[in-house]
Amino acid sequence: MRLTGLAVLAAWSALAGNDAHRLLSRRWDSLWYARVAEQGYGWEVVLPDGAVHSNLAFFPLLPWLERLGSWLTPLAAPDVGLVVSAVASLAAAWGIFAVAERLYGAAAGVAAVALWAVLPVGIVQSMAYSESLFTALAAWALYALLRERWVTAGLLASLAGLTRPVGMAVTAAVLVGVVLAARRERRLTPSMAAGALLSPLGAGAYVVWVGARTGDLFFGYLSVQEGWGNGFDGGLAFARFIGSLLAGPGFWGGLGLVVGLALLAWLCVRCVRQGQPVVLLVYAGIVVVLAVCASGYFGSKPRLLLPAFPLLLPLAVALARWSAARRGLLLAGVGLLSAGYAGFWLNGSGPP
């Protein structure tokens, strides 16, 4: 399905006079990651309105891998980013399957992976972005929690915390899992304690390092994000944005966002009613809240929701009950629509 998306993107880009390879590896955030890999931290851009965009906002695991790949191979950092994203997307698909298969069976696992592949913003899985890497680490951390492999879960959560700010969702899932297991067993084992202690180390270390570098140990990273216009206001800014669309010429776009939010809320309710393990609900809930309730970059919200794969499990279980022919027809149709949207999106505004 992803290869189909790439083929459609290549054809669309050729017709539009663009380079599909450049769109995937050398635009938007991929350029910031590559600059960190090539030159380290410290680069910033001052906008006309005085806002400061610093590359300290980008967590280091993907740039570290890009730098390592550039040192080991003749590939440039952005191209290494594409390789990392491709490998990580397969690891993420495997992890999503492992979680769904353990809970609901192999057919639901395959359906969950297929649904994740054909999401409208699924092309991001093939870009030099960190979503695929983060989703892989998160999925396998959650699988480790389901297997009660606490140290593995803690290590993966720490790596997820070095990948994206939303790594706190994985850390929260690990901590909740440890607390529930300790209450059930009426004791805290050494492996539980180790997993809980390891889980926040990655994100915590980077945030403290940014704080020390900026001279504000506790709030330095928040100041960096504020320069980018990012913050957490409970969704007020997003609500005002939707309201402005509904009240103006962008009415249909605003209505589409309302429908999308209603669908998102419905999926959240379905996950709870499905009886998903608490660690999955905690993880997906925090990913959704951080994506929807952030105060900036409204166009990024669908991309930020990409790691929330537990939301797909109710649909995957329902889809698994269909015949193979019906599943194939539905997924093929949705996959082609997703591929067409990817070609239109990346040759237009793209993912900010």
Side-chain angles (χ1 to χ4, degrees), residues 233-267:
D233 65 355
L236 291 176
F238 191 33
R240 294 192 191 99
F241 173 72
I242 295 174
S244 67
L245 291 177
L246 292 173
F251 173 81
W252 293 109
L255 184 61
L257 288 175
V258 171
V259 172
L261 289 173
L263 175 62
L264 186 62
W266 179 78
L267 287 173

Side-chain angles (χ1 to χ4, degrees), residues 284-301:
I286 293 177
V287 172
V288 169
V289 168
L290 290 178
V292 173
C293 297
S295 59
Y297 289 89
F298 305 123
S300 296
K301 294 188 183 298

Side-chain angles (χ1 to χ4, degrees), residues 44 53 58 124 165 178 184 190 200 204 213 220 272 284 293 311 330 341 347 352:
E44 60 184 32
H53 286 187
F58 294 87
V124 175
V178 167
R184 184 180 65 250
R213 187 179 176 103
V272 174
C293 297
L311 297 179
L330 175 67
Y341 178 75
N347 281 278

Side-chain angles (χ1 to χ4, degrees), residues 96-97 100-101 105-116 316 319 327 331:
I96 292 169
F97 171 82
E101 188 270 342
V110 174
V113 171
L115 290 170
W116 188 66
L319 196 60
R327 284 199 305 268
L331 292 172

Side-chain angles (χ1 to χ4, degrees), residues 9-61:
L9 173 65
W12 195 302
S13 300
L15 292 173
N18 292 324
D19 182 352
H21 176 259
R22 184 178 65 86
L23 294 177
L24 293 170
S25 64
R26 289 170 172 82
R27 284 189 71 185
W28 306 292
D29 288 3
S30 57
L31 292 174
W32 287 88
Y33 283 119
R35 186 178 290 276
V36 172
E38 295 166 347
Q39 302 178 16
Y41 285 103
W43 172 263
E44 60 184 32
V45 175
V46 180
L47 302 184
D49 62 0
V52 177
H53 286 187
S54 168
N55 64 3
L56 291 170
F58 294 87
F59 276 52
L61 185 56

Side-chain angles (χ1 to χ4, degrees), residues 159-177:
L159 290 173
L162 283 171
T163 307
R164 297 187 63 80
V166 75
M168 68 176 67
V170 191
T171 296
V174 172
L175 296 177
V176 168

Side-chain angles (χ1 to χ4, degrees), residues 93-310:
W94 187 9
I96 292 169
F97 171 82
V99 170
E101 188 270 342
R102 181 171 180 82
L103 295 174
Y104 306 112
V110 174
V113 171
L115 290 170
W116 188 66
V118 299
L119 288 172
V121 293
I123 191 65
V124 175
Q125 300 163 21
S126 303
M127 298 179 67
Y129 272 43
S130 60
E131 272 75 11
S132 290
L133 179 60
F134 175 80
T135 305
L137 294 168
W140 284 107
L142 292 171
Y143 180 74
L145 287 176
L146 295 177
R147 297 290 302 274
E148 297 190 352
R149 295 176 178 174
W150 308 112
V151 175
T152 300
L155 286 171
L156 291 171
S158 187
L159 290 173
L162 283 171
T163 307
R164 297 187 63 80
V166 75
M168 68 176 67
V170 191
T171 296
V174 172
L175 296 177
V176 168
V178 167
V179 169
L180 292 177
R183 287 184 60 187
R184 184 180 65 250
E185 298 183 15
R186 297 185 178 180
R187 65 191 183 100
L188 181 67
T189 65
S191 62
M192 291 179 190
L197 291 173
L198 286 169
S199 62
L201 289 184
Y206 182 68
V207 168
V208 169
W209 180 80
V210 171
R213 187 179 176 103
T214 60
D216 187 350
L217 189 62
F218 297 106
F219 300 104
Y221 182 75
L222 294 179
S223 298
V224 169
Q225 287 288 357
E226 185 178 351
W228 280 82
N230 290 327
F232 187 88
D233 65 355
L236 291 176
F238 191 33
R240 294 192 191 99
F241 173 72
I242 295 174
S244 67
L245 291 177
L246 292 173
F251 173 81
W252 293 109
L255 184 61
L257 288 175
V258 171
V259 172
L261 289 173
L263 175 62
L264 186 62
W266 179 78
L267 287 173
C268 290
V269 172
R270 292 300 305 169
C271 288
V272 174
R273 295 185 63 181
Q274 189 181 33
Q276 288 187 17
V278 174
V279 292
L280 265 66
L281 296 176
V282 168
Y283 165 76
I286 293 177
V287 172
V288 169
V289 168
L290 290 178
V292 173
C293 297
S295 59
Y297 289 89
F298 305 123
S300 296
K301 294 188 183 298
R303 172 173 66 88
L304 299 178
L305 288 167
L306 194 60
F309 69 89

